[in-house]
Amino acid sequence: MPTPRDLEPRTSALRDACAATDGVTSLIVFGSTTRAAAGRRDEWSDLDFNVFFAPDRADELRASWAFLPDPDRLVLRAVEGGAGGVALYDDGLVAEFGAGLPWVVRDPDREVLLDGGDVVTADPDPLPDPADQIGVFLVKTAIGVGRLRRGERISGSVFVRTYALTPLCEALRQRLAPDAPRSPFDPLRRIERVLPDVAARIGSLLDGDAEACARGLVALARAELEPGWAAFPSRAFDVVTETLGWV
């Protein structure tokens, strides 16, 4: 078995670097970076964190990233979004983080390593309505297949494999495994542990042709979710399958 990555020295180095950086107020780590979740670390685990700045140093720290430890070992750094980025170290360790003025932290899978008095936490937003999610899945699938047939292979494939698949997995989780542990933000994470048989079927579909994948996901949705669910949009599924010629 591969050896799980030992994140403790790297997390300690991150904490020390943040504590020594003027203008850094707080540091919060998430997921398998936390000590409570150390048991699920593997060789692919990374540093996942938020770092908050004092207002008078925020612009400088956004530019310098002085809070990152071992800067001589960095081989890549890239801004991602408006308040964060990614970094890669020479041993393959990835750091993925949010950085800036404080915001409300809603991820319950967290550990506060430095608290400058500006860490505000709250529960995650409520999960979306599964009936809405299965509707979004169906429409995104129809859009994706339309793009595939138009010749937009890349855009169409992304619609099917990402924009449609994500709400489908949300509906599957809520309907088939409502009490299972999960990320409140990403229904795709570790779904293999919660719904292994369904996930295996989805994985096989994803390995194939994009339109065949779309058709298979629609069939899977009907088989797994339609029976006994009054809110399932059966007529809408009929319309889409007829429109696409899947009858």
Side-chain angles (χ1 to χ4, degrees):
M1 293 291 292
T3 302
R5 185 184 291 277
D6 184 6
L7 287 184
E8 295 304 327
R10 310 302 285 272
T11 305
S12 295
L14 173 65
R15 183 191 183 282
D16 292 345
C18 286
T21 302
D22 184 30
V24 169
T25 58
S26 297
L27 171 66
I28 310 103
V29 296
F30 301 98
S32 60
T33 309
T34 67
R35 285 171 292 186
R40 70 173 190 244
R41 292 174 187 166
D42 58 24
E43 71 273 26
W44 308 112
S45 296
D46 57 19
L47 291 176
D48 183 5
F49 62 93
N50 287 347
V51 58
F52 294 158
F53 306 145
D56 61 338
R57 298 297 307 280
D59 290 343
E60 177 186 341
L61 291 173
R62 282 193 193 98
S64 70
W65 290 4
F67 52 85
L68 288 176
D70 304 314
D72 56 314
R73 298 186 61 185
L74 286 170
V75 297
L76 180 145
R77 44 176 281 175
V79 173
E80 182 181 22
V86 293
L88 177 67
Y89 285 89
D90 59 8
D91 63 348
L93 177 69
V94 171
E96 185 177 24
F97 55 89
L101 297 177
W103 57 83
V104 177
V105 177
R106 296 186 179 274
D107 192 334
D109 197 6
R110 64 179 179 263
E111 180 181 359
V112 179
L113 299 186
L114 295 173
D115 187 351
D118 54 4
V119 177
V120 178
T121 62
D123 291 335
D125 290 333
L127 294 174
D129 185 336
D132 287 334
Q133 292 296 284
I134 199 64
V136 171
F137 157 72
L138 183 63
V139 171
K140 298 297 185 183
T141 298
I143 293 171
V145 173
R147 293 190 181 186
L148 289 168
R149 292 182 179 181
R150 187 186 292 137
E152 296 183 66
R153 294 175 57 198
I154 296 171
S155 176
S157 181
V158 169
F159 258 81
V160 170
R161 302 175 196 273
T162 302
Y163 303 148
L165 178 62
T166 299
L168 172 60
C169 286
E170 183 63 59
L172 288 166
R173 277 185 177 273
Q174 290 195 41
R175 294 293 300 172
L176 304 183
D179 298 323
R182 57 163 298 172
S183 163
F185 311 110
D186 185 354
L188 303 179
R189 291 301 310 273
R190 297 182 171 88
I191 193 172
E192 293 83 357
R193 298 183 183 181
V194 177
L195 297 169
D197 294 339
V198 171
R201 288 156 58 194
I202 292 173
S204 295
L205 291 170
L206 293 174
D207 288 338
D209 169 78
E211 180 165 344
C213 176
R215 187 170 185 172
L217 291 175
V218 167
L220 182 148
R222 300 201 82 154
E224 295 293 333
L225 297 175
E226 189 171 19
W229 186 16
F232 191 91
S234 298
R235 177 58 182 143
F237 269 71
D238 291 342
V239 168
V240 167
T241 54
E242 290 167 7
T243 300
L244 296 176
W246 291 349
V247 291

